[in-house]
Amino acid sequence: MSTLVQSLIALALVWVFAYRRARMSTILTSLLLLLLLMTFYGGVAWLPWLLLLLVGFFYIAKNLRLQWMTLPLYQFFQSVLPPMNRTEMEALEAGDIWWEAELFQGDPDWNELLSYPKPELSEEEQSFIDNETETLCEMLDDWQIVQHDKDMSPDAWQYMKDAGFLGMIIPREYGGLGFSAIAHSSIVTKLASKSSSAAVTAMVPNSLGPAELLLKYGTEEQRQRYLPGLAKGSEIPCFGLTSPEAGSDAGAIIDSGIVCTGNHEGKECLGLSLTWNKRYITLAPVATVLGLAFKMYDPDHLLGDDTELGITVALIPTNHPGVVHGNRHNPMGMAFMNGPTQGADVFIPLDWIIGGVDYAGKGWQMLVDCLSEGRAISLPALSTAIAKVCYRLSGAYSRVRTQFNMPIGNFEGIEEALSRIAGYAYQLEASRVMTAGAVDLHIKPSVVSAIAKYHMTENARRVIQDAMDVHGGRGLILGRANYLAYAYMSVPIAITVEGANILTRNLIIFGQGAIRCHPFIFREMQAAKDSDTEAGLQEFDSLIFRHAGYCFSNFVRTLSLSLSGALVARAPVSDVTAKHYRQMTRMSSSLALVSDISMMLLGGALKRKERLSARLGDVLSNLYLGSAVLKYYRDNGSKSEDLPYVDWNIQLAMYNCQIALNEFFENLPNRPIAWLLKLVVFPFGSRYRLPDDSLEHRMVQTMFSDNPLRDRISQHMYIGSDDSDPSFIMEDAFKQLLASKATRDAIRTAIKEGKIAASEDLTVLAKAAVKMSLCSKADADAYLAAETARNRAIQVDDFPPDKF
């Protein structure tokens, strides 16, 4: 047997084991046995033996490996490691990794994804949505709230408090509802489908704020002091983080707390002299308790040796002397309470620090931990609510509204916009459920919540833009009949808060995701920063060569998947969606390879190459969104009517991954490496395509009939029971038109055939149809009622001059 043949057989063995991510010891042992066998039957092949002995020697000879290989790599890694301040490091360490790590590492275990329990509401939670949430929605008149009162009615405020909406996350032992994350998300979704101002009012106390901070870090005394009041609404919370100097860069806050002695309730005690100037604080104008983030200093060393203790959070009653609040901002004309708060040299005792003095300086890590959970629930719920309203009512409007003697939904231009609304609505609901489900699994999903926050708010913006285009003037004219305009106006708020989207995409998703999700990078960084150099070197040695094997495996897997069109990838199912799992695995492997190579090439400079890292973040994000769609499809019975939606979303996700990777290759500074990577990832060129017209046509048809899938996608959307609700007006007209379709078709056919004379008077047509026995008297009455409802549904508001 020739050396070439033996070398190829050995390479094939290594290739298979690398594809399967076998351990180095397994590969070396198997290769040794194979070479011994081939030598016995075919003679010695020096090349594979030489490579085996060389690799095996350094694998076994640890001391020589440390001196000759690991130490230079260790020193190089230390030199390229990007500098990180304390705030960045705390943000990096906060939260947990979850399914996104599987996607990032290139070989996702799809069975693990499908084994996660389906997030479901308890009987009590469902009852709360069907009753209390329904009641609150009935009390909300968004036109009155936003245009006139600039606030919810006193009755709505009181009901929100009494029913427990402000204490959904607070456990029962403190008087709260103790609801799950999926219940919290579903309640906010339903409220937001009626009034975004009311939804924000309910969601903020249950998101990043005093209640969550107290539950996780507060002393029992602090919990007993505040949580019962927060649960029942006798205490209204707000949290002050953003200031004029510090927006996305929260570490830049100049709000300060100086450790000193002072008087509190007539007694001298150790405390803090606080000075702050916060803005954009939701609920601040009406809050009774202020959570405050500030930098804590101890210049007189009253607590210890450190002068700068770091970001700290405290709870302050807003009636405390020196607290200034009450003024309001006007965020895009929306009516939820938002405004500034200030204080100058306000003295508070040290035990007002959340968690007590032991948590001084730990505020940023506390905030980031809580932010990851809140961001996984609130903004995804708001975004999904927008999509549900647009999906259900744009489809209805496209059947109700006629032009050129046919429903506007029959026009392909309208169909194109509707297909995006439909596809994104399905994706947003799938992502909402899966992301909230992670929180219910006791995951603090820092990277996933960033993905959800960015992409769900951006996709909601796309949906509302398309819905406005479909509705035309019907969506532009403000008034009680308009169910789109306030959602359109409020979307930029969601885009901006809890980490502006530009920051989230360019710095957080990949910047945090790459380090946290990579199996070795974060531990290598910790080893490189170890003050004990010897221990750090030993740990680095145990990691770096496994990292090299991981990188080689990614190369093998990516090339194999690319050349085979992902046919060699495993899928957890055997149905028509199996191809989607395989393609997702291919892009996951490509991401793992490209990420690893780019981090090795650019080192710390990748942190500053924001547009490059953002594109890799886009790949990770689209893989997550695609995963959510596949999981949602399986959790809901793998129904055939869902398949166009699933196909549309996975095709779009793969196309977006392709665009992001190609743009990455085009802009990678090292051109030879960029060319090689593109050749490995896309050896046959860019083969992914956007969904075609026929697929989008099939998907949109679901919007034009009353069916279970339409109901499921728009689940938890509020629709009233009478003409006081604009959603009811459109939905009622839609259903009446569907019910009277046979009569309408019969009349039109008779007119075309000359059996009935054409007339603008529908009553004349209906009487003629009855006379000719084309329909019954009841059918004719239903036809006329439907046409009246249609006319009502397309109307817009107008106002007398004195209203302006």
Side-chain angles (χ1 to χ4, degrees), residues 321-336:
V323 177
V324 178
H325 75 124
N327 284 357
R328 291 179 65 175
H329 297 310
N330 186 9
M332 297 298 291
M334 296 298 101
F336 63 87

Side-chain angles (χ1 to χ4, degrees), residues 79-138:
S79 69
V80 301
L81 196 63
M84 285 193 181
N85 59 37
R86 178 180 172 183
T87 303
E88 289 177 305
M89 185 55 70
E90 287 179 348
L92 187 63
E93 293 174 345
D96 303 316
I97 57 172
W98 184 54
W99 176 248
E100 75 278 21
E102 288 282 325
L103 296 170
F104 187 88
Q105 293 173 18
D107 188 16
D109 183 351
W110 297 109
N111 287 310
E112 178 183 334
L113 173 71
L114 299 182
S115 71
Y116 295 141
K118 177 185 177 181
E120 292 187 294
L121 298 166
S122 69
E123 216 174 285
E124 181 187 6
E125 291 167 344
Q126 185 64 60
S127 174
F128 189 90
I129 291 172
D130 295 339
N131 295 287
E132 285 87 346
T133 310
E134 185 82 7
T135 298
L136 180 56
C137 286
E138 289 170 358

Side-chain angles (χ1 to χ4, degrees), residues 545-564:
F545 290 101
R546 281 187 285 161
H547 187 166
Y550 167 78
C551 188
F552 177 67
S553 175
N554 287 333
F555 167 77
V556 168
R557 288 181 56 79
T558 301
L559 186 57
S560 299
L561 291 165
S562 299
L563 291 173
S564 68

Side-chain angles (χ1 to χ4, degrees), residues 398-674:
S398 297
R399 303 311 290 172
V400 169
R401 177 65 166 158
T402 59
Q403 291 285 273
F404 305 101
N405 296 315
M406 64 179 179
I408 64 170
N410 290 0
F411 293 97
E412 290 192 351
I414 298 294
E415 181 180 272
E416 182 179 4
L418 290 176
S419 70
R420 291 191 293 266
I421 294 172
Y424 283 127
Y426 191 93
Q427 180 201 100
L428 284 161
E429 174 66 357
S431 302
R432 178 189 75 85
V433 171
M434 180 164 157
T435 307
V439 178
D440 280 332
L441 292 173
H442 307 293
I443 303 293
K444 294 181 287 186
S446 56
V447 179
V448 159
S449 66
I451 291 172
K453 192 273 173 183
Y454 173 78
H455 286 277
M456 294 183 73
T457 55
E458 290 292 343
N459 288 343
R461 173 154 59 181
R462 295 183 178 99
V463 167
I464 190 67
Q465 286 174 340
D466 278 327
M468 291 291 285
D469 287 347
V470 169
H471 281 74
R474 177 69 174 78
L476 295 177
I477 304 303
L478 289 176
R480 190 165 272 110
N482 195 319
Y483 44 74
L484 290 180
Y486 290 146
Y488 181 79
M489 293 161 67
S490 67
V491 160
I493 302 172
I495 296 288
T496 302
V497 300
E498 294 190 11
N501 275 9
I502 290 176
L503 164 85
T504 301
R505 176 176 179 263
N506 284 273
L507 293 179
I508 296 178
I509 293 176
F510 185 80
Q512 188 173 14
I515 295 174
R516 289 303 307 275
C517 296
H518 196 285
F520 304 109
I521 286 287
F522 189 53
R523 288 184 290 165
E524 288 168 350
M525 289 174 60
Q526 291 175 316
K529 289 179 176 293
D530 197 326
S531 56
D532 185 342
T533 305
E534 183 59 31
L537 181 63
Q538 293 285 343
E539 175 67 10
F540 188 80
D541 177 71
S542 72
L543 295 168
I544 194 64
F545 290 101
R546 281 187 285 161
H547 187 166
Y550 167 78
C551 188
F552 177 67
S553 175
N554 287 333
F555 167 77
V556 168
R557 288 181 56 79
T558 301
L559 186 57
S560 299
L561 291 165
S562 299
L563 291 173
S564 68
L567 291 176
V568 297
R570 292 171 293 181
V573 297
S574 57
D575 61 21
V576 293
T577 62
K579 60 186 178 183
H580 295 321
Y581 290 96
R582 294 189 178 100
Q583 294 303 326
M584 294 268 286
T585 296
R586 175 186 171 186
M587 284 295 98
S588 171
S589 183
S590 298
L591 173 64
L593 174 67
V594 174
S595 299
D596 225 12
I597 297 299
S598 63
M599 285 189 282
M600 283 190 283
L601 280 177
L602 299 173
L606 186 58
K607 177 183 174 183
R608 297 183 294 275
K609 297 283 187 183
E610 296 172 26
R611 296 174 74 174
L612 284 179
S613 63
R615 292 175 179 117
L616 296 179
D618 289 344
V619 178
L620 179 61
S621 298
N622 276 280
L623 290 171
Y624 177 77
L625 297 173
S627 299
V629 166
L630 292 170
K631 172 88 167 107
Y632 181 81
Y633 170 72
R634 295 290 294 183
D635 282 349
N636 287 280
S638 303
K639 295 180 172 63
S640 59
E641 57 265 33
D642 288 44
L643 282 174
Y645 290 79
V646 175
D647 291 344
W648 187 92
N649 272 288
I650 303 303
Q651 288 177 31
L652 178 66
M654 296 300 93
Y655 181 81
N656 287 340
C657 288
Q658 177 178 272
I659 291 292
L661 286 169
N662 276 328
E663 289 181 355
F664 180 89
F665 299 144
E666 289 167 8
N667 291 279
L668 189 66
N670 191 316
R671 300 312 302 150
I673 295 297

